[in-house]
Amino acid sequence: MKTLTNGIITIGVNEHGAELCSLMCKGREYLWGAYPEYWKRHSPVLFPIVGSVWDGEFRSKGKTYKMSQHGFARDMDFTLLSVSDDEIWYELRYSEETLQKYPYEFILRIGYKLHDTTVDVCWEVENPSDEEIAFQIGAHPAFYWPMLSNEVINQGIEAMEKVLADNTLRGFFKFNLKNKKLAELISPDFPFVESQIIQEKGCVSKSEVSMYDVRNSVLPITTRLFDKDALILDDYQTDIVTLLDNDRNPYLSVAFTSPLVGLWSPPKKNAPFVCIEPWYGRTDEVRYNGTFEDRKHMNHLAPHSTFKAKYEITIH
């Protein structure tokens, strides 16, 4: 694992998945420790899909391919391209192995840049071929709940579980609401966010949605919020999600320009972390049987061009 610091925040990055594995500020760890009892990852990149394809299969170029949830990049070793005190870049290139799973040539680069109390997580998807490629990409960073002190975190899972057992409120999500259309359907005084519903095999309903009251742009996070799995906000409803503690003090923020964001903690497990996940893509609808290229929320990249995006994690 490579370690970078700017004197304010310190990160650790692993070449396996080019995954951010640690985010510390003033001696406090913010990034989930990947304990397998709950979830064995810290902050994987999701590529070339976000979520699931129906029945674990997709169809492209007249063939059927198998693909596990969130794609394969998170489980592959990247090559270190460059590193300095406050910036690091990794690369994953297509190979015979990836072409057996995903029939497109690609070059995926992931970078991390530090400034003040912020980490920029940067993505570049390059198309080196003579044909258009289709893909999705997303983030899955997991953060300790604000109520868990660094002392408790260092004591391990049992200490964290004890603190969580005494609190049903985990904090609040504060949204920078962008899509005013939804709120105005009812009243400007009653804003809400709309979440797609995960139904079967990790895929979303074609028609059902859930509505969440976010008066003052705030949503309380209780132990029951994720009972039906992730909240999936699409249509650019927000571009910043801030995690507040139980006293509504800012803890950390995730800022992005992606059309979707997922909010997740393992359902019905009272887990010690929550994920705030900017996505350029989304899981299939239930029983989707079209082509890979025609899935909703796909990115189409012209030959010999590059897709660039980033999101920011800021410690308060």
Side-chain angles (χ1 to χ4, degrees):
M1 186 168 69
K2 295 291 186 182
T3 301
L4 280 72
T5 185
N6 63 358
I8 304 172
I9 56 175
T10 301
I11 66 170
V13 186
N14 197 321
E15 67 177 13
H16 188 70
E19 184 175 1
L20 185 66
C21 296
S22 177
L23 170 55
M24 299 192 72
C25 182
K26 296 182 179 179
R28 181 188 179 94
E29 179 62 70
Y30 285 81
L31 206 63
W32 163 244
Y35 293 90
E37 296 95 323
Y38 288 99
W39 192 55
K40 66 178 183 178
R41 302 180 191 271
H42 306 271
S43 180
V45 63
L46 317 180
F47 178 88
I49 63 168
V50 173
S52 301
V53 288
W54 179 249
D55 270 342
E57 296 181 344
F58 69 88
R59 292 148 297 283
S60 178
K61 302 182 183 182
K63 295 184 179 180
T64 298
Y65 296 84
K66 299 284 187 182
M67 180 72 74
S68 58
Q69 186 183 44
H70 295 320
F72 52 75
R74 62 183 183 170
D75 294 316
M76 301 191 74
D77 289 338
F78 283 61
T79 299
L80 178 64
L81 288 181
S82 64
V83 60
S84 64
D85 289 342
D86 57 4
E87 185 171 348
I88 190 167
W89 282 90
Y90 289 89
E91 181 180 272
L92 178 68
R93 289 177 173 260
Y94 75 95
S95 63
E96 288 302 318
E97 178 185 358
T98 66
L99 290 171
Q100 295 300 312
K101 305 173 185 178
Y102 168 68
Y104 288 111
E105 298 178 3
F106 69 90
I107 303 171
L108 171 61
R109 288 183 285 269
I110 300 177
Y112 300 92
K113 302 178 182 180
L114 310 183
H115 53 96
D116 298 324
T117 61
T118 297
V119 183
D120 290 352
V121 184
C122 307
W123 299 322
E124 294 183 359
V125 181
E126 182 181 339
N127 177 3
S129 72
D130 294 327
E131 65 172 340
E132 180 180 270
I133 70 172
F135 69 94
Q136 296 177 332
I137 190 166
H140 207 317
F143 307 105
Y144 283 114
W145 293 114
M147 69 181 62
L148 298 174
S149 68
N150 213 49
E151 180 182 4
V152 169
I153 290 170
N154 290 337
Q155 290 173 12
I157 284 291
E158 289 186 8
M160 289 186 271
E161 289 175 336
K162 185 176 180 181
V163 171
L164 294 174
D166 296 331
N167 296 274
T168 57
L169 183 65
R170 295 287 172 267
F172 300 84
F173 289 129
K174 183 175 177 64
F175 301 101
N176 186 45
L177 295 175
K178 301 296 288 183
N179 190 333
K180 303 300 182 184
K181 181 173 123 180
L182 291 174
E184 290 169 357
L185 289 175
I186 297 179
S187 153
D189 299 322
F190 182 44
F192 63 93
V193 292
E194 180 182 271
S195 171
Q196 294 172 314
I197 298 174
I198 294 179
Q199 281 191 329
E200 300 177 44
K201 302 178 182 179
C203 294
V204 297
S205 168
K206 293 182 179 180
S207 57
E208 294 183 59
V209 295
S210 293
M211 301 293 186
Y212 294 90
D213 179 356
V214 288
R215 262 171 274 200
N216 300 315
S217 303
V218 168
L219 176 65
I221 309 169
T222 68
T223 52
R224 305 298 304 275
L225 183 61
F226 302 103
D227 278 1
K228 295 182 180 179
D229 216 316
L231 279 62
I232 301 174
L233 281 55
D234 67 356
D235 197 24
Y236 296 96
Q237 292 181 61
T238 182
D239 62 355
I240 304 173
V241 178
T242 300
L243 183 59
L244 310 179
D245 66 19
N246 284 8
D247 295 320
R248 303 199 181 202
N249 299 310
Y251 176 65
L252 62 82
S253 295
V254 179
F256 45 89
T257 57
S258 60
L260 302 101
V261 62
L263 306 170
W264 179 77
S265 191
K268 302 179 181 180
K269 286 190 176 182
N270 201 19
F273 67 91
V274 65
C275 297
I276 303 173
E277 312 172 35
W279 293 344
Y280 289 86
R282 188 211 65 190
T283 189
D284 271 349
E285 291 182 343
V286 169
R287 295 179 183 82
Y288 176 74
N289 61 3
T291 67
F292 183 76
E293 293 74 17
D294 290 336
R295 298 170 73 234
K296 287 191 175 180
H297 299 292
M298 292 298 290
N299 304 283
H300 297 270
L301 186 60
H304 307 288
S305 59
T306 302
F307 166 95
K308 296 183 180 183
K310 73 171 184 175
Y311 69 96
E312 301 175 356
I313 304 170
T314 298
I315 305 301
H316 293 290

